[in-house]
Amino acid sequence: VGTLSRQDKLLRSAASGCTASAVSDCISNVIRVLKTTRQTAPTTITYREAAKQVIDQDGLKGLFPVPSLYLPC
């Protein structure tokens, strides 16, 4: 196995950073949606109940409020 050139290392690092950012954004958005759903519910609900409510109302896409470049939904 040969060593990677400087350009290959930079490309690999950039790809890793983009992937990490995409995963982080997806997880953060889901948590944000569930938190907001809980806060605006007329009664106290759990995160599981909030997830069920969002999915029943809007489907899985409801957990991702912003059109995302990462998910072809």
Side-chain angles (χ1 to χ4, degrees):
V1 178
T3 61
L4 295 175
S5 70
R6 177 177 162 87
Q7 184 177 9
D8 288 340
K9 288 179 183 178
L10 287 174
L11 287 173
R12 180 182 282 184
S13 181
S16 294
C18 287
T19 302
S21 176
V23 171
S24 173
D25 286 350
C26 289
I27 293 170
S28 295
N29 282 341
V30 170
I31 292 170
R32 213 171 283 120
V33 167
L34 295 178
K35 179 186 72 160
T36 302
T37 302
R38 288 185 72 210
Q39 290 174 338
T40 58
T43 61
T44 303
I45 61 173
T46 66
Y47 277 97
R48 181 174 289 191
E49 292 167 332
K52 182 175 178 356
Q53 180 180 332
V54 170
I55 292 169
D56 287 347
Q57 184 175 355
D58 301 322
L60 285 175
K61 289 182 182 181
L63 295 174
F64 303 95
V66 178
S68 178
L69 297 175
Y70 315 125
L71 299 174
C73 300

